[in-house]
């Protein structure tokens, strides 16, 4: 290969993995990272990495196979807009993913474990598996990172240090409340996954990792081939020559792209991903002639959330899915399975019947049992965030909701919730949400409890992005960026969430983003190292 470097734009999980794979395949690599910290949204994430028919499940004796995984992806992709599914990209992703997961473990980037108790989202879909497709890192100690530990993003959203076993046993909220300081620096969730890859990257002398260096320009020659990138660093501009891999994630913090792709204004939108996710990959690729693929907002994985004092300024939590709460629009009516964001986004953002703004309403039992955000159970809520009132009617008036209807909605909801049912919208019926977000101690349903006990509480919700915009740079199954004629742009690749998620059509399952990210990183880094992974082959090409 030439002496050019491989240039990776973004040091989230996909970028770190691409850089590592390229280095292990003989290339010198520069990673430009816009933020002063490494990890991107991946470090803020749950660290759930979805891989069908993976070797970790196999070694734990769990039955799965690629044909089943393909049926699953196909069946959830066809619920919305089946024409969005890119068959070639889906098959490439699914067949390469198990080899990729094994490769990253073999080269010492991660030590996988199957996440206990976590079932496929759409558990009734054809091909769904109970447990086995979600991988995460076994715990890593932060001291492995040396001086880079301070430059690792740590998730403000997950109880980093707590393991998934503890979450499954106690529920996420209780596990957080119980988080004890037992010494050491245990890193779990997405922070742990990124830390593990970062520790391995730091071992490779051929990787240059420059933080606080946002890439602002791609260099191109006369025939459109991308030949390098220019970043702006604290000491001035830095130029590197070579093929470029965009790994900049989504556009959550660019209001214009949010309006373009999601049709939501700042009054109703926020993001729980880092503020350095500004759609730069989309903008840089567009300037280089790339096609941008769109997925409808109704199918984008976003969550109900609220403003918070910590970085990035918004948060979310299982509070909205816990018993004794419900979500309504300003008419005072519910409109979805309000514990399950997939159903919520599909109905909330339906262009023919939108329900913005929307509000979370909960009662005193919820306050007493769970607290909210930083407020412990029974504690005092911050008055600028939570509105309280002695009756639902008054609460409605304060929040701008029809109070009379709100009372009627709560009465009907509560009557069914007492029996653990939600006949209209099916809250409490999705096993994935039951196993992960509810209160395991609450009977008869971990997600359903009456909203009946005064005083009542509420807030206007924000729809928060998660660093998975779904729309983005159009790539083929191997991460090569395509122009509007479907031709590849030489020298330009995209991995991770900056690339449109067409490999699963308009369907999403938790873990697709990171799972596809490490798979594309595997494919692109091998191609750039001159050892492309053969198509439709499960056999990895790596030799250690
Ligand atoms: C709370 C939360 C929970 C989540 N849980 C999961 C989960 O369990 N499983 C899952 O699959 N997904 C999950 N996601 C989504 C997932 O984290 C993201 O989709 C994923 O991290 C995207 O990975 P990436 O490698 O593409 O980008 P990221 O990890 O976001 O990294 C992108 C990097 O690019 C940098 N960058 C941006 N612009 C530039 C530029 N111009 N120059 C240089 N660098 C730049 C950014 O600063 C950032 O560091 C979650 C997200 C959140 C917020």
């Amino acid at each position: 290969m030439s002496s050019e470097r491989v240039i990776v734009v973004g040091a989230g999980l996909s970028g770190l993995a691409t850089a590592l794979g390229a280095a292990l395949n003989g290339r010198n690599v520069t990673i430009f990272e816009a933020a002063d910290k490494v990890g991107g949204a991946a470090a803020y994430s749950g660290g759930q990495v979805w891989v069908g028919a993976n070797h970790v499940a196999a070694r734990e004796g769990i039955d799965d196979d690629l044909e089943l995984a393909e049926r699953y992806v196909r069946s959830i992709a066809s619920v919305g807009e089946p024409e969005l599914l890119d068959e070639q990209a889906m098959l490439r992703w699914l067949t390469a993913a198990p080899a990729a997961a094994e490769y990253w473990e073999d080269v010492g980037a991660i030590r996988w474990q199957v996440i206990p108790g976590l079932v496929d989202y759409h558990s009734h879909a054809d091909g769904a598996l109970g447990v086995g497709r979600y991988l995460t890192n076994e715990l890593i100690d932060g001291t492995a990172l040396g001086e880079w530990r301070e430059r690792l993003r740590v998730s403000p959203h997950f109880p980093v240090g707590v393991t998934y076993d503890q979450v499954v046993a106690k529920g996420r909220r209780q596990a957080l409340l119980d988080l004890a300081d037992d010494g050491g620096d245990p890193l779990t969730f997405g922070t742990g996954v990124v830390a593990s890859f970062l520790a391995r990257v730091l071992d490779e002398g051929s990787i240059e990792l420059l933080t606080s260096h946002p890439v602002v320009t791609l260099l191109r020659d006369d025939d459109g081939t991308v030949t390098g990138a220019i970043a702006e660093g604290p000491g001035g501009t830095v130029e590197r020559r070579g093929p470029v891999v965009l790994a900049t994630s989504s556009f959550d913090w660019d209001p214009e792209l949010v309006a373009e792709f999601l049709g939501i204004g700042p009054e109703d939108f926020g993001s729980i991903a880092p503020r350095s996710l500004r759609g730069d990959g989309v903008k840089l690729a567009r300037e280089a002639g790339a096609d941008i693929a769109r997925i409808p907002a109704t199918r984008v994985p976003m969550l109900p959330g609220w403003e918070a004092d910590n970085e990035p300024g918004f948060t979310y939590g299982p509070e909205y899915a816990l018993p004794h709460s419900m979500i309504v629009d300003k008419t005072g009516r519910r409109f979805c399975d309000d514990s399950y964001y997939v159903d919520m986004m599909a109905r909330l953002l339906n262009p023919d019947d939108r329900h913005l703004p929307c509000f979370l309403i909960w009662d005193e039992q919820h306050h007493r049992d769970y607290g909210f955000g930083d407020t412990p159970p029974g504690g005092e809520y911050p008055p600028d965030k939570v509105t309280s009132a002695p009756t639902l009617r008054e609460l409605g008036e304060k929040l701008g909701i029809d109070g009379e209807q709100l009372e009627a909605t709560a009465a009907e909801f509560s009557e069914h919730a007492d029996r653990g049912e939600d006949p209209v919208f099916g809250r409490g019926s999705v096993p994935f949400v039951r196993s992960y977000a509810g209160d395991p101690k609450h009977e008869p349903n971990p997600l359903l409890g009456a909203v009946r006990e005064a005083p009542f509480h509420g807030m206007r919700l924000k729809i928060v992005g998660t660093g998975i915009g779904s729309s983005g740079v159009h790539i083929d199954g191997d991460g090569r960026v395509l122009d509007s004629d479907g031709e590849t742009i030489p020298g330009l690749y995209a991995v991770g969430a900056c690339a449109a998620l067409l490999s699963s059509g308009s369907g999403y399952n938790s873990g697709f983003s990171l799972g596809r990210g490490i798979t594309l990183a595997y494919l692109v880094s091998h191609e750039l190292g001159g050892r492309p992974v053969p198509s439709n082959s499960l056999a990895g090409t790596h030799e250690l």
Side-chain angles (χ1 to χ4, degrees):
M1 291 300 292
S2 73
S3 59
E4 291 178 318
R5 305 183 77 83
V6 167
I7 301 159
V8 176
V9 189
L13 183 64
S14 312
L16 289 170
T18 305
L20 177 61
L24 293 172
N25 281 291
R27 300 296 302 259
N28 290 320
V29 183
T30 296
I31 312 176
F32 287 121
E33 167 52 52
D36 58 354
K37 289 199 164 120
V38 169
Y44 279 13
S45 80
Q48 299 169 7
V49 182
W50 192 94
V51 181
N54 66 73
H55 69 292
V56 194
R59 82 180 167 219
E60 293 187 12
I62 297 168
D63 271 344
D64 191 12
D65 62 59
L66 273 183
E67 191 256 334
L68 202 65
E70 183 188 327
R71 271 181 18 220
Y72 180 63
V73 172
R74 215 176 266 290
S75 64
I76 68 170
S78 65
V79 175
E81 289 75 8
E83 69 282 2
L84 288 174
L85 179 66
D86 179 334
E87 285 277 331
Q88 185 269 341
M90 174 191 69
L91 291 172
R92 187 65 163 144
W93 161 49
L94 285 176
T95 53
E102 195 164 5
Y103 173 77
W104 298 123
E105 191 165 63
D106 286 349
V107 300
I110 193 145
R111 179 79 193 154
W112 297 116
Q113 65 169 110
V114 169
I115 300 180
L118 206 58
V119 300
D120 281 344
Y121 259 24
H122 311 270
S123 39
H124 299 304
D126 185 29
L129 195 68
V131 171
R133 290 176 179 161
Y134 296 94
L135 303 180
T136 200
N137 185 41
E138 284 183 356
L139 192 136
I140 176 173
D141 197 284
T143 50
L145 298 176
E147 63 184 21
W148 278 85
R149 171 65 179 85
E150 288 191 355
R151 281 193 266 170
L152 171 71
R153 283 191 191 279
V154 175
S155 180
H157 307 302
F158 286 87
V160 174
V162 167
T163 63
Y164 268 104
D165 299 272
Q166 291 163 326
V167 170
V168 168
K170 301 176 177 184
R172 200 173 121 196
R173 178 95 184 128
Q174 193 57 45
L176 173 62
L177 294 170
D178 289 352
L179 179 58
D181 183 5
D182 294 332
D185 184 20
L187 301 176
T188 52
F189 297 99
T191 309
V193 173
V194 169
S196 190
F197 272 82
L198 176 60
R200 186 66 186 83
V201 161
L202 296 173
D203 281 345
E204 286 303 311
S206 54
I207 302 177
E208 172 189 39
L209 173 48
L210 300 174
T211 53
S212 303
H213 278 78
V215 167
V216 290
T217 308
L218 296 183
L219 301 170
R220 284 182 286 157
D221 66 14
D222 293 343
D223 72 359
T225 299
V226 173
T227 56
I230 297 176
E232 275 174 3
T237 58
V238 177
E239 183 180 310
R240 293 287 180 269
R241 293 273 172 174
V244 174
V245 185
L246 300 170
T248 56
S249 202
S250 76
F251 48 82
D252 288 32
W253 288 95
D254 185 280
E256 283 178 21
L257 289 179
V258 169
E260 178 184 338
F261 293 136
L262 303 174
I264 310 177
E267 64 286 359
D268 287 313
F269 188 80
S271 174
I272 52 172
R275 285 174 179 257
S276 59
L277 271 54
R278 293 183 297 252
D280 288 0
V282 169
K283 293 179 220 163
L284 290 165
R286 244 183 193 165
E287 279 164 25
D291 185 40
I292 303 301
R294 288 151 198 278
I295 295 203
T298 46
R299 308 287 291 163
V300 175
M302 297 183 284
L303 300 165
W306 44 90
E307 284 173 27
D309 297 329
N310 53 6
E311 212 290 330
F314 294 92
T315 192
Y316 78 110
E319 289 88 339
Y320 73 88
L322 287 166
H324 313 296
S325 70
M326 61 181 191
I327 294 175
V328 299
D329 63 14
K330 64 180 189 312
T331 70
R333 293 184 176 85
R334 295 176 65 226
F335 54 88
C336 62
D337 173 350
D338 33 13
S339 66
Y340 185 37
Y341 78 77
V342 175
D343 191 58
M344 182 175 171
M345 292 309 138
R347 295 180 194 254
L348 177 78
L349 300 174
N350 175 354
D352 300 325
D353 184 24
R354 281 199 151 202
H355 294 274
L356 288 171
C358 62
F359 305 84
L360 179 64
I361 305 294
W362 66 98
D363 80 351
E364 187 56 21
Q365 292 182 78
H366 185 290
H367 179 213
R368 205 172 46 234
D369 292 348
Y370 309 120
F372 202 108
D374 291 338
T375 307
E380 199 171 323
Y381 294 131
D384 58 329
K385 297 204 171 68
V386 175
T387 301
S388 299
T391 65
L392 280 165
R393 193 174 291 236
E394 286 166 86
L395 183 68
E397 276 159 21
K398 283 184 171 178
L399 288 169
I401 306 169
D402 179 331
E404 194 178 334
Q405 178 60 47
L406 183 62
E407 278 185 339
T409 301
E412 190 189 345
F413 175 76
S414 300
E415 194 189 318
H416 295 302
D418 287 340
R419 295 196 293 272
E421 296 165 358
D422 176 20
V424 186
F425 297 111
R427 177 172 174 146
S429 64
V430 178
F432 174 86
V433 190
R434 286 175 72 117
S435 67
Y436 175 57
D439 173 359
K441 294 194 299 297
H442 191 273
E443 301 277 355
N445 191 312
L447 298 164
L448 275 168
V451 177
R452 186 180 284 136
E453 194 178 315
F456 298 94
H457 314 280
M459 64 165 54
R460 178 170 170 170
L461 291 169
K462 296 274 185 184
I463 304 312
V464 294
T466 59
I468 313 170
S470 296
S471 298
V473 180
H474 197 173
I475 56 169
D476 69 10
D478 287 80
R480 303 178 197 108
V481 174
L482 303 174
D483 66 17
S484 51
D485 295 326
E487 300 294 327
T488 56
I489 299 178
L492 189 60
Y493 299 80
V495 295
C498 77
L501 256 173
L502 300 176
S503 45
S504 47
S506 62
Y508 190 76
N509 189 97
S510 176
F512 276 9
S513 185
L514 296 177
R516 187 188 67 142
I518 60 159
T519 305
L520 285 169
Y522 169 70
L523 294 172
V524 169
S525 62
H526 278 69
E527 175 162 324
L528 290 172
R531 303 166 79 193
V533 177
S535 279
N536 295 326
S537 163
L538 268 183
T541 56
H542 64 284
E543 297 142 27
L544 289 174

